[in-house]
Amino acid sequence: MFDRKAFPLAAGFALSGAAAQAQTIDETINSVVGAATGPFVSFIFSPFPGTSFPWIVLWLVIAATIFTIYFAFVQFRSFPHSIALVSGKYSDPNDAGEVSHFQALATALSGTVGLGNIAGVAVAVSIGGPGATFWMILAGLMGMASKFTECTLGVKFRNEYPDGTVSGGPMYYLSKGMAVRGFGGLGKGLAILFAIFCVLGSLGGGNMFQANQAHAQIVNIVGDYPGWITGVIFAAIVFAVIVGGLKSIAQVTEKIVPFMGVLYVGTALIVLLINYDRIGWAFGEVFDGAFTGAGVAGGFVGALIQGFKRAAFSNEAGVGSAAIAHSAVKTKEPITEGFVSLLEPFIDTVVICTMTALVIIITGVLQVDPETGNYLWNAELGRVETVGDVSGVALTSAAFGSALSWFPYILAIAVILFAFSTMISWSYYGLKAWTYMFGEGKAQELSFKILFCVFVVIGAAMNLGPVIDFSDAAIFAMALVNIFGLYFLMPIVKAELNSYNARLKSGEIKRFA
């Protein structure tokens, strides 16, 4: 017979046993995956010989610099026209594609604006000091040219199908574009390699990591409970959105991205206004630290490395992921989506990341030696001393919370929205890479969408460190493949740019609104 008095005790043993078993499964998976993928992860994130600068970040920054110069600072010259395109002033409703310029931008932004803007910036500033903010902004401005290049090619070489859907991105412009340049065999190999890395990255960094961090933030607010519950709820919502395809995803992101952007930036502005008398001082710290690295280990170089690293990791310029979303835009002019996409790094890095950095600097959560004025460096932790000895997302929360006691609740909402929007965008990136390898069709699409949602539950329920490390490495391996191809395809983009500008100047390209 069932003994009600014994049930709580039995349940306790069952739960502790399940927790221990889950821990054992986590450890087993971590051990196996870590041993198999460790060398690859170490290679991707290893420093450039003779420096402490990760070579993959250098790869991204050098590419952004080359594209900026090659296209004659297109991100600054064409900024006003980019705004006009996003607002729909040049949108022809009869053009092929699935989504508007604004929806494409919102979908791509939802894949980049996320925890990196909250936790990553805090890490950069606590290690590189306020000066890291300057280099982060500079790298973001240059990264605009990388986005311009890859997203123009995404539309130029996309596949358009009779039902009105499209498929595009690096897989297609590497294979088709490289063939135009006379390197068809190399292009096909690069396309397959990119697709493999994209699927792995979408399941890990674009999925499991997001679910895991969202659960952690919810637990901080409501108390501890099993992660699989969060996973199942997220998986159900994600599936309900992604099963409708890109149009469904775009309809959600065009509402979520502006809301979460205004919510987060608006809160940051409130904090800055409360501390308005310190804004001038904060900018002084940024510029002084950028060129002297005052009070921070590594000095000028340390600030530069942290700033460049955060910008590269945050806006994904050069990774090629955003080109997949932008490829679906309604346009017959590939270059227009290049113009629209260059707004991404500006919004993600120059605006949102900078807001986070300024709040951290201005609220005084980074501790300063009152006698020397230098930041107190903790050699053991490898970062600046902070109030409450916190770092990452906790440091950002503490900075906002010092001015607004209710901010942890806003942060929880922001993290959940950021995680959700990142997941649905990366589901589309992974789907297009999947169908590139296995063919277009309802069965192939549904199989990936189900697989993606299974990984949402796994990510929220388990602590899979090496799995996430490997998926992050896969995302930046996408950049290695993508940028290599972009160097071959730059002349195609320049021809498109020159043709479009000439027709815009002559009045051949007309406004519709």
Side-chain angles (χ1 to χ4, degrees), residues 222-244:
V222 304
D224 196 25
Y225 68 93
W228 65 264
I229 297 176
T230 300
V232 168
I233 294 171
F234 262 77
I237 299 172
V238 167
F239 186 78
V241 173
I242 67 176
V243 75

Side-chain angles (χ1 to χ4, degrees), residues 190-213:
L190 291 174
I192 290 293
L193 200 56
F194 179 91
I196 292 170
F197 288 140
C198 187
V199 168
L200 292 172
S202 74
L203 294 176
N207 181 344
M208 289 196 295
F209 174 71
Q210 305 299 325
N212 190 280
Q213 292 301 297

Side-chain angles (χ1 to χ4, degrees), residues 52-371:
S52 58
F53 207 127
W55 73 267
I56 193 66
V57 174
L58 199 62
W59 176 255
L60 289 162
V61 171
I62 289 173
T65 305
I66 290 172
F67 298 140
T68 295
I69 295 169
Y70 184 77
F71 295 111
F73 297 89
V74 66
Q75 62 266 54
F76 306 116
R77 293 188 296 110
S78 301
F79 196 89
H81 189 60
S82 300
I83 300 295
L85 286 165
V86 171
S87 64
K89 292 178 180 176
Y90 289 86
S91 298
D92 185 345
N94 297 316
D95 284 343
E98 297 185 67
V99 296
S100 67
H101 285 299
F102 179 76
Q103 287 176 324
L105 177 65
T107 300
L109 267 174
S110 70
T112 57
V113 176
L115 295 171
N117 302 79
I118 301 173
V121 173
V123 172
V125 174
S126 64
I127 297 175
T133 309
F134 175 87
W135 299 110
M136 178 180 68
I137 293 171
L138 181 62
L141 291 172
M142 292 192 300
M144 293 165 73
S146 298
K147 278 282 172 80
F148 165 80
T149 307
E150 61 194 6
C151 292
T152 297
L153 290 166
V155 178
K156 174 74 174 175
F157 293 104
R158 67 187 180 181
N159 283 359
E160 297 175 7
Y161 303 107
D163 64 355
T165 61
V166 300
S167 290
M171 304 82 68
Y172 295 90
Y173 64 67
L174 288 172
S175 57
K176 295 162 72 173
M178 292 287 276
V180 170
R181 298 282 289 153
F183 301 96
L186 175 62
K188 286 182 180 178
L190 291 174
I192 290 293
L193 200 56
F194 179 91
I196 292 170
F197 288 140
C198 187
V199 168
L200 292 172
S202 74
L203 294 176
N207 181 344
M208 289 196 295
F209 174 71
Q210 305 299 325
N212 190 280
Q213 292 301 297
H215 175 68
Q217 192 62 33
I218 293 170
V219 164
N220 284 341
I221 299 297
V222 304
D224 196 25
Y225 68 93
W228 65 264
I229 297 176
T230 300
V232 168
I233 294 171
F234 262 77
I237 299 172
V238 167
F239 186 78
V241 173
I242 67 176
V243 75
L246 182 61
K247 289 183 180 179
S248 175
I249 293 172
Q251 287 169 358
V252 173
T253 56
E254 75 172 343
K255 296 176 179 66
I256 287 182
V257 170
F259 173 74
M260 68 187 188
V262 169
L263 179 70
Y264 189 75
V265 172
T267 308
L269 285 173
I270 292 172
V271 175
L272 294 178
L273 287 173
I274 291 173
N275 297 277
Y276 72 93
D277 56 322
R278 290 170 61 84
I279 292 176
W281 168 82
F283 276 106
E285 290 290 289
V286 168
F287 287 106
D288 183 48
F291 298 101
T292 66
V296 179
F300 156 74
V301 176
L304 183 146
I305 289 173
Q306 290 302 320
F308 277 3
K309 183 191 293 187
R310 176 43 36 211
F313 285 15
S314 178
N315 62 50
E316 296 174 15
V319 170
S321 52
I324 301 173
H326 284 284
S327 297
V329 72
K330 292 178 180 177
T331 186
K332 59 178 177 290
E333 298 286 352
I335 208 74
T336 59
E337 201 55 26
F339 289 141
V340 169
S341 68
L342 62 78
L343 295 172
E344 258 181 73
F346 182 82
I347 296 169
D348 176 276
T349 305
V350 179
V351 176
I352 298 178
C353 286
T354 301
M355 283 290 186
T356 302
L358 284 175
V359 167
I360 291 171
I361 296 165
I362 215 166
T363 53
V365 290
L366 301 177
Q367 296 198 328
V368 177
D369 185 332
E371 294 184 8

Side-chain angles (χ1 to χ4, degrees), residues 35-51:
T37 64
F40 172 71
V41 175
S42 298
F43 165 70
I44 291 295
F45 294 117
S46 62
F48 192 77
T51 73

